[in-house]
Every structure is written in C-alpha cells, then in structure tokens.
Amino acid sequence: MPSVLDSRCILVIGATSGIGRSLAKSIYLLPTKSTVIVAGRRQDRLDELVTWSKQQGGDSTLETLQLDVSVDAQTLVDIIDKCLQKYPEVRGTIFMASFADV
C-alpha cells in the first residue's frame, strides 16, 4: 500500500488551520523532500505557511492554492483541474477541510 513517503507531490486541502495545517507542515519536514501544495480559504494563512517554509531552510517545496470548498461543484472541479494542470505530479491528496454553516 502506498504511503505519504511514496508521493513526491501532495495536495493538502484544508491546510490553513488545525490538523490540516499541522499535517501539511509535518509532510513538508519529511526527509523525502516532497512538494506540498497547501490549499485553503484564507490567503493570509497561506502566506504565513510560505513564510514558515522559507524559515525552515529545507529543500522541500511549499506551494499554495486559495480554495473554498463551499463553492458550487463545477467551480470546485474547475479549480482542481487547474491545480492538476499546474502540478501534474500530484500523487496524493489529503482532504482536511471542514464546513461550518454560519
């Protein structure tokens, strides 16, 4: 069974807070030097992750994708399609996003 260690490029959806953020950071710090694409609603939190990754001084790559999973289905499909066109090497996706009805 493949593991996160086998993936050279991983998309983490819902990575701007909580478990998703911690998981994205942990994957970034793995010795496998994977590209981690962090996706989430809040651009300011995505920017914080980029700053954090630069402070680590490692060889891994951290990319961001602003994404709100509460959009309509077609918009979500279009965003993910664009992501996969830009990063065709994605081999794993972790979906940590949550939805709160407010």
Side-chain angles (χ1 to χ4, degrees):
M1 171 183 274
S3 77
V4 71
L5 296 173
D6 299 320
S7 298
R8 300 298 296 158
C9 186
I10 300 165
L11 171 62
V12 182
I13 300 172
T16 55
S17 67
I19 294 170
R21 184 180 181 98
S22 294
L23 186 59
K25 285 180 165 184
S26 295
I27 294 168
Y28 177 84
L29 294 172
L30 287 172
T32 55
K33 310 277 187 259
S34 298
T35 296
V36 181
I37 305 163
V38 293
R41 270 184 307 143
R42 297 187 51 193
Q43 187 62 51
D44 60 325
R45 296 230 179 145
L46 294 170
D47 295 341
E48 288 172 6
L49 282 167
V50 170
T51 300
W52 171 85
S53 71
K54 289 178 181 175
Q55 294 169 346
Q56 302 311 302
D59 294 328
S60 297
T61 303
L62 186 132
E63 301 285 338
T64 65
L65 172 66
Q66 190 171 23
L67 171 65
D68 185 347
V69 297
S70 66
V71 297
D72 64 276
Q74 188 57 54
T75 300
L76 188 58
V77 167
D78 293 344
I79 292 169
I80 296 300
D81 282 346
K82 286 179 187 173
C83 177
L84 294 176
Q85 287 173 10
K86 185 174 181 179
Y87 304 102
E89 66 275 12
V90 169
R91 293 294 178 263
T93 302
I94 300 169
F95 193 46
M96 300 298 297
S98 64
F99 176 75
D101 190 12
V102 291

